[in-house]
mmCIF file of all heavy atoms in Angstrom:
data_model
loop_
_atom_site.group_PDB
_atom_site.id
_atom_site.type_symbol
_atom_site.label_atom_id
_atom_site.label_comp_id
_atom_site.label_asym_id
_atom_site.label_seq_id
_atom_site.Cartn_x
_atom_site.Cartn_y
_atom_site.Cartn_z
ATOM 1 N N ALA G 596 59.581 156.364 163.626
ATOM 2 C CA ALA G 596 59.153 156.000 162.313
ATOM 3 C C ALA G 596 59.959 154.834 161.792
ATOM 4 O O ALA G 596 60.770 154.286 162.574
ATOM 5 C CB ALA G 596 59.354 157.231 161.365
ATOM 6 N N CYS G 597 59.748 154.477 160.524
ATOM 7 C CA CYS G 597 60.519 153.368 159.872
ATOM 8 C C CYS G 597 61.131 153.812 158.626
ATOM 9 O O CYS G 597 60.647 154.785 158.050
ATOM 10 C CB CYS G 597 59.595 152.205 159.548
ATOM 11 S SG CYS G 597 58.814 151.463 160.995
ATOM 12 N N GLY G 598 62.204 153.215 158.262
ATOM 13 C CA GLY G 598 62.835 153.453 156.875
ATOM 14 C C GLY G 598 63.126 154.882 156.665
ATOM 15 O O GLY G 598 63.720 155.605 157.449
ATOM 16 N N SER G 599 62.709 155.376 155.525
ATOM 17 C CA SER G 599 62.985 156.753 155.048
ATOM 18 C C SER G 599 62.402 157.753 156.036
ATOM 19 O O SER G 599 62.849 158.852 156.220
ATOM 20 C CB SER G 599 62.586 156.955 153.634
ATOM 21 O OG SER G 599 63.338 156.189 152.747
ATOM 22 N N ALA G 600 61.211 157.398 156.522
ATOM 23 C CA ALA G 600 60.545 158.310 157.469
ATOM 24 C C ALA G 600 61.384 158.491 158.696
ATOM 25 O O ALA G 600 61.495 159.624 159.286
ATOM 26 C CB ALA G 600 59.119 157.777 157.846
ATOM 27 N N TYR G 601 62.072 157.425 159.149
ATOM 28 C CA TYR G 601 62.995 157.509 160.208
ATOM 29 C C TYR G 601 64.145 158.440 159.817
ATOM 30 O O TYR G 601 64.569 159.286 160.626
ATOM 31 C CB TYR G 601 63.464 156.125 160.592
ATOM 32 C CG TYR G 601 64.604 156.007 161.519
ATOM 33 C CD1 TYR G 601 64.506 156.211 162.851
ATOM 34 C CD2 TYR G 601 65.957 155.815 160.960
ATOM 35 C CE1 TYR G 601 65.593 156.093 163.723
ATOM 36 C CE2 TYR G 601 66.996 155.779 161.824
ATOM 37 C CZ TYR G 601 66.855 155.906 163.225
ATOM 38 O OH TYR G 601 67.963 155.839 163.986
ATOM 39 N N ILE G 643 56.105 159.707 162.066
ATOM 40 C CA ILE G 643 56.144 160.078 160.630
ATOM 41 C C ILE G 643 55.890 158.796 159.780
ATOM 42 O O ILE G 643 56.441 157.766 160.078
ATOM 43 C CB ILE G 643 57.549 160.622 160.308
ATOM 44 C CG1 ILE G 643 57.973 161.786 161.211
ATOM 45 C CG2 ILE G 643 57.605 160.990 158.840
ATOM 46 C CD1 ILE G 643 59.402 162.278 160.939
ATOM 47 N N SER G 644 55.010 158.967 158.833
ATOM 48 C CA SER G 644 54.695 157.857 157.912
ATOM 49 C C SER G 644 54.053 158.374 156.615
ATOM 50 O O SER G 644 53.012 159.029 156.708
ATOM 51 C CB SER G 644 53.736 156.902 158.599
ATOM 52 O OG SER G 644 53.318 155.886 157.695
ATOM 53 N N GLN G 645 54.628 158.000 155.513
ATOM 54 C CA GLN G 645 54.045 158.446 154.236
ATOM 55 C C GLN G 645 52.674 157.761 154.078
ATOM 56 O O GLN G 645 51.704 158.425 153.820
ATOM 57 C CB GLN G 645 54.972 158.030 153.095
ATOM 58 C CG GLN G 645 54.587 158.568 151.736
ATOM 59 C CD GLN G 645 53.480 157.846 151.065
ATOM 60 O OE1 GLN G 645 52.539 158.413 150.544
ATOM 61 N NE2 GLN G 645 53.390 156.497 151.099
ATOM 62 N N SER G 646 52.639 156.452 154.280
ATOM 63 C CA SER G 646 51.355 155.725 153.996
ATOM 64 C C SER G 646 50.356 155.825 155.146
ATOM 65 O O SER G 646 49.216 155.640 154.960
ATOM 66 C CB SER G 646 51.717 154.227 153.802
ATOM 67 O OG SER G 646 52.239 153.764 155.058
ATOM 68 N N GLY G 647 50.917 156.055 156.328
ATOM 69 C CA GLY G 647 50.034 156.113 157.508
ATOM 70 C C GLY G 647 49.540 154.705 157.909
ATOM 71 O O GLY G 647 48.633 154.586 158.735
ATOM 72 N N GLU G 648 50.138 153.660 157.297
ATOM 73 C CA GLU G 648 49.640 152.296 157.543
ATOM 74 C C GLU G 648 50.751 151.379 158.040
ATOM 75 O O GLU G 648 50.515 150.137 158.122
ATOM 76 C CB GLU G 648 48.979 151.680 156.307
ATOM 77 C CG GLU G 648 47.813 152.529 155.793
ATOM 78 C CD GLU G 648 46.659 152.647 156.844
ATOM 79 O OE1 GLU G 648 46.625 151.872 157.864
ATOM 80 O OE2 GLU G 648 45.799 153.544 156.674
ATOM 81 N N THR G 649 51.944 151.843 158.289
ATOM 82 C CA THR G 649 53.109 150.997 158.651
ATOM 83 C C THR G 649 52.802 150.362 159.977
ATOM 84 O O THR G 649 52.655 151.100 161.005
ATOM 85 C CB THR G 649 54.382 151.763 158.602
ATOM 86 O OG1 THR G 649 54.542 152.263 157.272
ATOM 87 C CG2 THR G 649 55.581 150.898 158.996
ATOM 88 N N THR G 652 54.955 151.324 163.008
ATOM 89 C CA THR G 652 54.748 152.755 163.466
ATOM 90 C C THR G 652 53.453 152.905 164.130
ATOM 91 O O THR G 652 53.330 153.627 165.167
ATOM 92 C CB THR G 652 54.874 153.617 162.197
ATOM 93 O OG1 THR G 652 56.061 153.276 161.462
ATOM 94 C CG2 THR G 652 54.910 155.115 162.581
ATOM 95 N N ILE G 677 47.246 155.932 160.983
ATOM 96 C CA ILE G 677 48.018 156.731 161.824
ATOM 97 C C ILE G 677 47.398 158.134 162.012
ATOM 98 O O ILE G 677 47.371 158.691 163.083
ATOM 99 C CB ILE G 677 49.485 156.844 161.332
ATOM 100 C CG1 ILE G 677 50.186 155.492 161.585
ATOM 101 C CG2 ILE G 677 50.266 157.938 162.048
ATOM 102 C CD1 ILE G 677 51.517 155.334 160.963
ATOM 103 N N VAL G 695 57.710 152.579 145.176
ATOM 104 C CA VAL G 695 57.951 152.037 146.453
ATOM 105 C C VAL G 695 58.943 152.796 147.223
ATOM 106 O O VAL G 695 58.846 153.075 148.396
ATOM 107 C CB VAL G 695 58.375 150.557 146.327
ATOM 108 C CG1 VAL G 695 58.928 150.011 147.643
ATOM 109 C CG2 VAL G 695 57.236 149.645 145.882
ATOM 110 N N ALA G 696 59.971 153.262 146.495
ATOM 111 C CA ALA G 696 61.004 154.056 147.120
ATOM 112 C C ALA G 696 60.550 155.473 147.255
ATOM 113 O O ALA G 696 60.310 156.163 146.306
ATOM 114 C CB ALA G 696 62.301 154.014 146.333
ATOM 115 N N THR G 697 60.413 155.922 148.472
ATOM 116 C CA THR G 697 59.854 157.244 148.697
ATOM 117 C C THR G 697 60.931 158.360 148.332
ATOM 118 O O THR G 697 62.116 158.215 148.598
ATOM 119 C CB THR G 697 59.401 157.479 150.139
ATOM 120 O OG1 THR G 697 58.741 158.753 150.231
ATOM 121 C CG2 THR G 697 60.566 157.453 151.152
ATOM 122 N N THR G 698 60.430 159.438 147.808
ATOM 123 C CA THR G 698 61.294 160.635 147.565
ATOM 124 C C THR G 698 60.534 161.898 147.984
ATOM 125 O O THR G 698 60.949 162.446 149.023
ATOM 126 C CB THR G 698 61.537 160.717 145.975
ATOM 127 O OG1 THR G 698 60.300 160.644 145.322
ATOM 128 C CG2 THR G 698 62.451 159.649 145.509
ATOM 129 N N GLN G 704 58.267 165.389 154.446
ATOM 130 C CA GLN G 704 58.330 165.118 155.906
ATOM 131 C C GLN G 704 59.303 165.995 156.621
ATOM 132 O O GLN G 704 59.063 166.620 157.616
ATOM 133 C CB GLN G 704 58.595 163.629 156.149
ATOM 134 C CG GLN G 704 57.515 162.670 155.792
ATOM 135 C CD GLN G 704 58.075 161.257 155.512
ATOM 136 O OE1 GLN G 704 59.218 160.968 155.694
ATOM 137 N NE2 GLN G 704 57.111 160.331 155.132
ATOM 138 N N GLU G 777 69.818 158.200 154.294
ATOM 139 C CA GLU G 777 68.767 158.094 153.264
ATOM 140 C C GLU G 777 69.358 157.854 151.850
ATOM 141 O O GLU G 777 68.835 157.061 151.053
ATOM 142 C CB GLU G 777 67.881 159.329 153.233
ATOM 143 C CG GLU G 777 66.808 159.370 152.223
ATOM 144 C CD GLU G 777 65.759 158.261 152.301
ATOM 145 O OE1 GLU G 777 65.808 157.498 153.285
ATOM 146 O OE2 GLU G 777 65.028 158.070 151.344
ATOM 147 N N LEU G 780 70.051 154.204 151.658
ATOM 148 C CA LEU G 780 68.843 153.384 151.529
ATOM 149 C C LEU G 780 68.297 153.469 150.092
ATOM 150 O O LEU G 780 67.886 152.461 149.481
ATOM 151 C CB LEU G 780 67.866 153.877 152.547
ATOM 152 C CG LEU G 780 66.483 153.160 152.423
ATOM 153 C CD1 LEU G 780 66.566 151.593 152.582
ATOM 154 C CD2 LEU G 780 65.418 153.696 153.419
ATOM 155 N N LYS G 781 68.217 154.653 149.544
ATOM 156 C CA LYS G 781 67.767 154.817 148.171
ATOM 157 C C LYS G 781 68.522 153.947 147.229
ATOM 158 O O LYS G 781 68.015 153.203 146.389
ATOM 159 C CB LYS G 781 67.785 156.307 147.783
ATOM 160 C CG LYS G 781 66.818 157.149 148.363
ATOM 161 C CD LYS G 781 65.451 157.053 147.644
ATOM 162 C CE LYS G 781 64.326 156.309 148.323
ATOM 163 N NZ LYS G 781 64.126 156.214 149.654
ATOM 164 N N GLU G 784 68.005 150.031 147.891
ATOM 165 C CA GLU G 784 66.664 149.464 147.681
ATOM 166 C C GLU G 784 66.160 149.490 146.227
ATOM 167 O O GLU G 784 65.267 148.709 145.905
ATOM 168 C CB GLU G 784 65.686 150.175 148.552
ATOM 169 C CG GLU G 784 65.257 151.630 148.216
ATOM 170 C CD GLU G 784 64.139 152.122 149.058
ATOM 171 O OE1 GLU G 784 63.283 151.370 149.495
ATOM 172 O OE2 GLU G 784 64.141 153.313 149.359
ATOM 173 N N LEU G 897 60.121 144.256 148.238
ATOM 174 C CA LEU G 897 59.647 145.447 149.010
ATOM 175 C C LEU G 897 58.203 145.720 148.667
ATOM 176 O O LEU G 897 57.684 145.367 147.639
ATOM 177 C CB LEU G 897 60.493 146.657 148.620
ATOM 178 C CG LEU G 897 61.972 146.587 149.023
ATOM 179 C CD1 LEU G 897 62.658 147.867 148.561
ATOM 180 C CD2 LEU G 897 62.173 146.332 150.469
ATOM 181 N N ALA G 898 57.495 146.346 149.635
ATOM 182 C CA ALA G 898 56.103 146.805 149.391
ATOM 183 C C ALA G 898 56.045 148.284 149.725
ATOM 184 O O ALA G 898 56.850 148.842 150.498
ATOM 185 C CB ALA G 898 55.166 146.035 150.355
ATOM 186 N N LYS G 899 55.099 148.993 149.162
ATOM 187 C CA LYS G 899 55.000 150.416 149.367
ATOM 188 C C LYS G 899 54.686 150.764 150.837
ATOM 189 O O LYS G 899 55.110 151.729 151.335
ATOM 190 C CB LYS G 899 53.890 151.033 148.502
ATOM 191 C CG LYS G 899 53.787 152.542 148.599
ATOM 192 C CD LYS G 899 55.033 153.237 148.306
ATOM 193 C CE LYS G 899 55.008 154.779 148.479
ATOM 194 N NZ LYS G 899 56.302 155.423 148.349
ATOM 195 N N SER G 900 53.852 149.915 151.446
ATOM 196 C CA SER G 900 53.582 150.156 152.820
ATOM 197 C C SER G 900 53.643 148.833 153.572
ATOM 198 O O SER G 900 52.923 147.851 153.138
ATOM 199 C CB SER G 900 52.149 150.766 153.006
ATOM 200 O OG SER G 900 51.884 150.824 154.361
ATOM 201 N N VAL G 901 54.352 148.734 154.610
ATOM 202 C CA VAL G 901 54.620 147.423 155.300
ATOM 203 C C VAL G 901 53.584 147.362 156.473
ATOM 204 O O VAL G 901 53.783 147.839 157.544
ATOM 205 C CB VAL G 901 56.067 147.353 155.853
ATOM 206 C CG1 VAL G 901 56.280 146.026 156.478
ATOM 207 C CG2 VAL G 901 57.073 147.639 154.712
HETATM 208 C C1 AGP I 222 61.272 154.076 151.447
HETATM 209 O O1 AGP I 222 62.073 154.283 150.331
HETATM 210 C C2 AGP I 222 61.190 152.730 151.831
HETATM 211 N N1 AGP I 222 60.517 152.001 150.867
HETATM 212 C C3 AGP I 222 60.736 152.393 153.269
HETATM 213 O O2 AGP I 222 61.785 152.482 154.062
HETATM 214 C C4 AGP I 222 59.539 153.281 153.849
HETATM 215 O O3 AGP I 222 60.117 154.539 154.050
HETATM 216 C C5 AGP I 222 59.176 152.702 155.245
HETATM 217 O O4 AGP I 222 58.566 151.430 154.961
HETATM 218 C C6 AGP I 222 58.107 153.574 156.001
HETATM 219 O O5 AGP I 222 57.029 153.726 155.280
HETATM 220 P P1 AGP I 222 55.900 154.807 155.695
HETATM 221 O O6 AGP I 222 56.546 156.135 155.586
HETATM 222 O O7 AGP I 222 54.715 154.579 154.719
HETATM 223 O O8 AGP I 222 55.493 154.521 157.107
#
Side-chain angles (χ1 to χ4, degrees):
C597 298
S599 294
Y601 168 79
I643 304 176
S644 176
Q645 189 284 132
S646 64
E648 300 301 343
T649 300
T652 310
I677 289 173
V695 167
T697 186
T698 49
Q704 288 159 3
E777 176 61 10
L780 176 60
K781 284 281 103 36
E784 71 174 325
L897 296 181
K899 181 59 183 170
S900 171
V901 184

